[in-house]
Amino acid sequence: EAQVTQNPRYLITVTGKKLTVTCSQNMNHEYMSWYRQDPGLGLRQIYYSMNVEVTDKGDVPEGYKVSRKEKRNFPLILESPSPNQTSLYFCASSLISRGDNQPQHFGDGTRLSIL
Amino acid sequence: AQKVTQAQTEISVVEKEDVTLDCVYETRDTTYYLFWYKQPPSGELVFLIRRNSFDEQNEISGRYSWNFQKSTSSFNFTITASQVVDSAVYFCALKEVSRGSTLGRLYFGRGTQLTVWP
């Protein structure tokens, strides 16, 4: 089954304690992306990756890091989490093609609470 | 500037009413795709429809219909005879695919919270 898997689904942690949210897709997609969703602001892109070892900042990259060592995985790293990073996070993947009209595939979301 | 604008933050209707969710987009690309996603209270994002910029035919799927008007850069979504289960946040999104665009990137509107009361 084609899917994007995020872990954990829920996490409560404290300020400053490094954490990683994993994301894995099994569709051989080149493009992967992280979004955060906050009330009234919709989904804002944090980082994206066009392929292995190719990553770039989205609209709200501050306080986050990513890596793309393998095509299927795109972890989101919060080196020193702060309360303003409390949010709902989504990982997504898709093909890259000018003819591609396929929707992005989304993970089920990770709800992070930073105390 | 927002590439996708959903001006309605919240809409409340009573069951069986029809409701239209507005979406206005902005792009210089001649080739692009538009999407609607539904986010129920459980939180996951559910894909509803895609439309490419060359196809202005309206689409109907059961109680859902979509009106794409290139002249006004709008891609509105109508739910006919709404039901309580339609209560969700609905997102409109734009994907640009012309040369120079960041291929694969999806631009989201801020979403419209629809509440359907029994």
Side-chain angles (χ1 to χ4, degrees):
Chain A
E1 183 191 348
Q3 58 185 6
V4 177
T5 304
Q6 293 178 229
N7 279 298
R9 293 291 314 279
Y10 304 91
L11 179 63
I12 301 174
T13 187
V14 295
T15 300
K17 186 176 180 183
K18 180 179 178 179
L19 67 91
T20 299
V21 185
T22 63
C23 175
S24 180
Q25 50 92 6
N26 61 1
M27 296 164 279
N28 203 36
H29 285 164
E30 301 95 343
Y31 185 91
M32 295 187 75
S33 179
W34 277 102
Y35 298 89
R36 62 177 288 173
Q37 182 183 357
D38 303 289
L41 297 178
L43 279 82
R44 294 180 294 169
Q45 191 178 55
I46 303 170
Y47 269 95
Y48 66 94
S49 169
M50 303 283 271
N51 215 324
V52 175
E53 302 292 1
V54 180
T55 64
D56 209 345
K57 297 177 181 178
D59 298 320
V60 287
E62 295 78 20
Y64 304 95
K65 282 175 57 176
V66 293
S67 70
R68 188 91 183 272
K69 293 185 171 58
E70 306 162 284
K71 199 171 187 179
R72 62 183 291 126
N73 295 323
F74 190 45
L76 179 70
I77 302 155
L78 285 72
E79 294 270 4
S80 183
S82 62
N84 64 10
Q85 292 177 299
T86 292
S87 188
L88 177 59
Y89 291 84
F90 287 100
C91 179
S93 74
S94 69
L95 293 169
I96 295 180
S97 163
R98 288 198 173 82
D100 168 43
N101 65 349
Q102 296 305 306
Q104 284 194 355
H105 296 253
F106 283 86
D108 286 339
T110 296
R111 194 167 289 279
L112 281 185
S113 293
I114 316 292
L115 305 177
Chain B
Q2 281 275 108
K3 281 186 178 280
V4 178
T5 301
Q6 294 179 255
Q8 304 147 311
T9 308
E10 296 180 22
I11 301 176
S12 287
V13 298
V14 177
E15 227 175 2
K16 296 184 184 166
E17 283 185 18
D18 298 348
V19 59
T20 296
L21 310 181
D22 297 333
C23 173
V24 173
Y25 62 93
E26 183 182 329
T27 181
R28 293 182 180 178
D29 282 22
T30 54
T31 304
Y32 52 90
Y33 297 98
L34 296 162
F35 302 85
W36 275 95
Y37 286 84
K38 174 182 180 180
Q39 186 180 42
S42 49
E44 75 274 19
L45 286 160
V46 178
F47 164 71
L48 294 178
I49 191 172
R50 65 174 164 265
R51 172 66 69 220
N52 75 52
S53 52
F54 297 109
D55 182 2
E56 287 194 69
Q57 272 196 333
N58 291 333
E59 181 154 341
I60 298 174
S61 175
R63 295 184 298 105
Y64 294 171
S65 63
W66 289 268
N67 181 289
F68 175 35
Q69 293 203 338
K70 229 168 161 177
S71 58
T72 55
S73 297
S74 64
F75 186 42
N76 296 338
F77 172 30
T78 297
I79 302 174
T80 304
S82 59
Q83 300 175 1
V84 173
V85 293
D86 295 327
S87 296
V89 181
Y90 291 87
F91 291 99
C92 180
L94 165 72
K95 186 182 200 179
E96 297 170 320
V97 295
S98 297
R99 292 189 186 282
S101 302
T102 303
L103 291 180
R105 176 156 183 180
L106 208 56
Y107 296 92
F108 282 89
R110 294 187 176 186
T112 298
Q113 169 71 61
L114 173 65
T115 303
V116 182
W117 298 98

